[in-house]
Amino acid sequence: MKLAPGPASKKLAESVAHFTQKPLLRLEHKLFPDGESYIRFEDSVKGEDVVIIQGLHPPQDKHLTELLLMADLLKELGASKVRAVIPYMAYARQDRRFRDGEAVSILTVLKMLKAAGVDEALTVNIHSPWVLENAPLKVVNLDATGLLAVSLTELVGGRPLVLSPGKKGLEMASATASILDAEYGVIESRRDTVTGEVAVEIGLDPSGRDVVLVDDVVSTGGTMAKCVELVRRRGAGKVVVACIHGLFIGDAAEKIQRAGASMIVATDTIPNPYVFASVAGLISSHLT
Ligand code: R5P
């Protein structure tokens, strides 16, 4: 097995190489003046089982194109098997046709991966795990909630209240709380279909307690900022915000800090300034 470090995830690929003790292929990549991607492997891959490591965080379309170029090229150069580790899977929020005529983008992305020669993909906490049942190729979805929670044990003392918003909230909050030996609950969040505003509410009383707010993704930070504001208004003490995928678009982190969070914690599925936990070991243990 050889590892192909994609331009989007070089650092994570180095960590996976460290854990697996597998060699990293040398990759030359650049952008042409018009913005098009150029990819060249400097080592032979004939007959090799190659694992590409390339996240699809912003700029998603550039990272996706690089991934497709790498997979197709590896097959063309004679690799016997091509797997893609995609620590953050883009387009997973457009997982159904919400309005007539819309693209179900995640299925299109998976079809493109298969067409480019990806035999199997491995991702972490995909936003819409249900789409994988009908995926055109095998996609293994790893869960990093446990390792994120372990990193929190070093940062949060005592027994905090663990809260999580959204559809997957109960699952994430309970998995995190079991490691922190803490009480947990869900934050009900509702997005106004006209204004896009998110309204949040909780059933538990956070007054006088330290709170851990955990979510799979922080994107614009709007949801988390609302959650932080709510628990602080209800008298919470220290508030730690944790996520698997830290996209932190624009001023997302500042928004969360301004709302009253004392710390932001994320994994390294996406390079970001708040990495406290690495998914390298988790990914490595699934690569045989
Ligand atoms: C929603 O289902 C997700 O779990 C996150 O709550 C959401 O994607 C966060 O987005 P934003 O940071 O833009 O509010």
Side-chain angles (χ1 to χ4, degrees), residues 162-194:
V162 178
L163 298 170
S164 184
K167 256 192 272 173
K168 284 165 283 176
L170 188 61
E171 212 178 297
M172 279 209 86
S174 105
T176 307
S178 71
I179 287 173
L180 294 174
D181 185 24
E183 193 184 352
Y184 65 91
V186 176
I187 300 189
E188 301 295 340
S189 62
R190 223 170 328 110
R191 201 176 282 272
D192 188 300
T193 48
V194 179

Side-chain angles (χ1 to χ4, degrees), residues 93-122:
R93 295 197 224 193
Q94 186 66 27
D95 62 332
R96 71 193 69 162
R97 191 162 287 122
F98 298 95
R99 294 167 60 210
D100 286 349
E102 274 184 352
V104 183
S105 311
I106 182 61
L107 289 180
T108 306
V109 167
L110 296 176
K111 281 180 207 164
M112 286 196 279
L113 293 176
K114 187 180 165 69
V118 175
D119 296 301
E120 190 180 316
L122 194 148

Side-chain angles (χ1 to χ4, degrees), residues 125-200:
N125 291 85
I126 187 171
H127 186 74
S128 40
W130 44 87
V131 299
L132 301 182
E133 284 162 31
N134 300 313
L137 78 167
K138 181 178 173 196
V139 182
V140 177
N141 182 36
L142 303 178
D143 185 5
T145 314
L147 68 91
L148 180 66
V150 169
S151 80
L152 289 167
T153 56
E154 293 156 24
L155 300 169
V156 191
R159 295 177 66 208
L161 177 60
V162 178
L163 298 170
S164 184
K167 256 192 272 173
K168 284 165 283 176
L170 188 61
E171 212 178 297
M172 279 209 86
S174 105
T176 307
S178 71
I179 287 173
L180 294 174
D181 185 24
E183 193 184 352
Y184 65 91
V186 176
I187 300 189
E188 301 295 340
S189 62
R190 223 170 328 110
R191 201 176 282 272
D192 188 300
T193 48
V194 179
T195 63
E197 274 288 296
V198 176
V200 290

Side-chain angles (χ1 to χ4, degrees), residues 93 127 165 191 215-224:
R93 295 197 224 193
H127 186 74
R191 201 176 282 272
D215 203 353
D216 57 348
V217 189
V218 170
S219 181
T220 64
T223 307
M224 270 301 183

Side-chain angles (χ1 to χ4, degrees), residues 219-258:
S219 181
T220 64
T223 307
M224 270 301 183
K226 279 269 158 63
C227 295
V228 176
E229 257 168 42
L230 174 70
V231 295
R232 292 286 289 161
R233 205 168 55 235
R234 302 263 167 96
K238 184 167 133 183
V239 181
V240 175
V241 165
C243 64
I244 309 277
H245 306 296
L247 285 164
F248 301 119
I249 305 297
D251 66 344
E254 291 72 23
K255 221 185 275 175
I256 292 167
Q257 280 153 348
R258 273 199 307 272

